[in-house]
C-alpha cells in the first residue's frame, strides 16, 4: 500500500486543516509514493524511536508530535534534528505527524481522554475552533463527571486510567467536597486554564503546569491535576493502532513503540 493511500485514511480521521495555525502536521520527511508494508507508531520521533523503526524495517513512521516545528535551514550531522532527518531518508522511511489536528478532531484525543476520565456524554468542547461536517471541533472537553468523587479520588482515577506512575495535584486532596465539573486538555494545558475557569470547571486535567499557574488556579477556586504531557497523550498509540488495523486490514503491519515515560520521581 502506498504512503499517499495511507495518508488519505489519516486525513479522513483528522484532516490537517483542523490543526492550529502554529502547528506543522503532515508528511514531514520522505516520499508520498513509498510502498508501505510496516508502520511504526510512537508519540515522539526520538533517536530511540527512529533507531527502533529502522531495526523493525518500517517503511513509515507515524507520530503525534511533529519532529519539525520551525524552518530548518541546514540538514547535517551537526544538529540532532538534522541527524534524525538524514537517518530517515537514508533508510527510506516516510515520516508523518498528526498533532493538533488529532487533538481537536471529533472522536480523537480530547474525546478519548474524556471517556477515560468518565465525563458524561453531554460534555462539550472546551475551546471550540469551528465545525467540521456539522460537528464542533476544538481543543479539550468539559462536562460533568458520570460519578461523584472527591479531588483525591479523581486524581487516583486519572493515574489508573492512563497507566501513570504519578500525577501532580494543585488543590486540597483532603477536601471531602465532591468534584462535579471537570475539564480535560491533553498535552500542555497552561493556556487552557482561562477557558477551563470560564467553563465553570472545578478541576482541569492536563499537563506541563508550572508552579505559579498551579497555585494561581487554586486561588481562583479551580484545582489542577497535572498528569504529564506524555501521560495523557500516549493513548494516541493504542487508538491509532486499532484504527489503522481496521482501515488497512492485513495489508500493513502495525508496530507500536513501547511505553516510555520521559519523566520519573525519585522518592
Amino acid at each position: 500500500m502506498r504512503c499517499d493511500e495511507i495518508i488519505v485514511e489519516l486525513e479522513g480521521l483528522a484532516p490537517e486543516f483542523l490543526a492550529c495555525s502554529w502547528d506543522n502536521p503532515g508528511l514531514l520527511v520522505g516520499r508520498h509514493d513509498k510502498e508501505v508494508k510496516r508502520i511504526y507508531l510512537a508519540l515522539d520521533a526520538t533517536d530511540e524511536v527512529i533507531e527502533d523503526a529502522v531495526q523493525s524495517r518500517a517503511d513509515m513512521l507515524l507520530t503525534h508530535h511533529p519532529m519539525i516545528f520551525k524552518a530548518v535551514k541546514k540538514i547535517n550531522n551537526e544538529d540532532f534534528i538534522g541527524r534524525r532527518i538524514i537517518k530517515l531518508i537514508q533508510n527510506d522511511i516516510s515520516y508523518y505527524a498528526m498533532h493538533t489536528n488529532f487533538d481537536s478532531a471529533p472522536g480523537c484525543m480530547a474525546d478519548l481522554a474524556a471517556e477515560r476520565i468518565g465525563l458524561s456524554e453531554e460534555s462539550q468542547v472546551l475551546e471550540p475552533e469551528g465545525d467540521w461536517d456539522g460537528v464542533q471541533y476544538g481543543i479539550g472537553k468539559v462536562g460533568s463527571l458520570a460519578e461523584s468523587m472527591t479531588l483525591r479520588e479523581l486524581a487516583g482515577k486519572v493515574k489508573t486510567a492512563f497507566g501513570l506512575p504519578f500525577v501532580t495535584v494543585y488543590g486540597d486532596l483532603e477536601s471531602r467536597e465532591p468534584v462535579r465539573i471537570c475539564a480535560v486538555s491533553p498535552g500542555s494545558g497552561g493556556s487552557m486554564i482561562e477557558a477551563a475557569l470560564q467553563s465553570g470547571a472545578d478541576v482541569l486535567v492536563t499537563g506541563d503546569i508550572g508552579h505559579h499557574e498551579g497555585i494561581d488556579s487554586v486561588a481562583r477556586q479551580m484545582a489542577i491535576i497535572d498528569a504529564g504531557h506524555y501521560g495523557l497523550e500516549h493513548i494516541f498509540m493504542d487508538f491509532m493502532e486499532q484504527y489503522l488495523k481496521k482501515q488497512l486490514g492485513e495489508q500493513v503491519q502495525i508496530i507500536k513503540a513501547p511505553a516510555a515515560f520521559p519523566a520519573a520521581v525519585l522518592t
Side-chain angles (χ1 to χ4, degrees):
M1 193 170 190
R2 283 171 43 127
C3 178
D4 52 10
E5 294 175 312
I6 294 170
I7 290 174
V8 168
E9 299 295 340
L10 299 177
E11 283 277 302
L13 174 68
E16 290 181 37
F17 71 80
L18 298 186
C20 297
S21 60
W22 50 263
D23 202 5
N24 190 39
L27 185 64
L28 303 184
V29 178
R31 300 187 286 119
H32 282 92
D33 62 352
K34 167 71 177 179
E35 192 66 28
V36 177
K37 295 181 180 179
R38 295 182 184 88
I39 298 175
Y40 192 96
L41 280 175
L43 198 72
D44 298 279
T46 62
D47 292 329
E48 294 78 11
V49 160
I50 293 175
E51 177 60 28
D52 202 22
V54 170
Q55 294 302 318
S56 300
R57 299 174 65 188
D59 304 294
M60 185 174 183
L61 172 62
L62 174 61
T63 70
H64 178 50
H65 297 133
M67 181 179 69
I68 303 170
F69 270 108
K70 300 178 182 179
V72 179
K73 296 183 179 181
K74 295 180 181 180
I75 299 175
N76 58 45
N77 64 347
E78 296 178 354
D79 174 77
F80 74 101
I81 296 296
R83 289 193 294 270
R84 293 174 185 176
I85 294 172
I86 291 170
K87 194 162 193 173
L88 288 167
I89 293 173
Q90 285 178 329
N91 290 277
D92 197 15
I93 297 175
S94 293
Y95 169 46
Y96 192 91
M98 304 173 71
H99 192 208
T100 53
N101 50 321
F102 185 84
D103 287 339
S104 61
C108 291
M109 189 72 83
D111 285 316
L112 295 172
E115 182 180 357
R116 288 205 182 199
I117 290 172
L119 296 190
S120 66
E121 294 182 359
E122 291 75 29
S123 61
Q124 303 293 318
V125 176
L126 179 58
E127 189 173 77
E129 298 287 343
D131 287 325
W132 177 36
D133 287 344
V135 180
Q136 191 177 64
Y137 70 90
I139 304 298
K141 300 285 284 190
V142 61
S144 301
L145 290 164
E147 299 178 5
S148 178
M149 62 186 72
T150 64
L151 179 61
R152 178 180 289 277
E153 290 169 337
L154 177 59
K157 181 170 186 176
V158 169
K159 181 174 178 289
T160 300
F162 288 87
L164 307 178
F166 63 90
V167 296
T168 301
V169 181
Y170 295 91
D172 185 4
L173 283 174
E174 304 310 315
S175 174
R176 302 307 301 170
E177 287 293 318
V179 174
R180 294 182 174 86
I181 307 299
C182 176
V184 58
S185 183
S188 185
S191 64
M192 300 298 291
I193 290 175
E194 288 301 322
L197 285 164
Q198 291 300 315
S199 74
D202 299 309
V203 60
L204 169 64
V205 180
T206 190
D208 293 349
I209 294 298
H211 169 77
H212 293 290
E213 291 172 321
I215 63 173
D216 290 351
S217 178
V218 172
R220 300 172 72 184
Q221 309 305 310
M222 184 178 73
I224 294 182
I225 298 173
D226 186 338
H229 199 129
Y230 184 98
L232 291 175
E233 292 194 327
H234 70 88
I235 58 177
F236 167 82
M237 293 187 290
D238 287 340
F239 176 83
M240 288 306 303
E241 178 184 32
Q242 296 306 311
Y243 176 80
L244 290 172
K245 285 182 177 180
K246 179 181 178 182
Q247 297 302 115
L248 308 182
E250 300 298 321
Q251 300 180 73
V252 179
Q253 180 185 359
I254 309 301
I255 304 169
K256 186 174 60 175
F261 293 93
V265 173
L266 179 64
T267 58

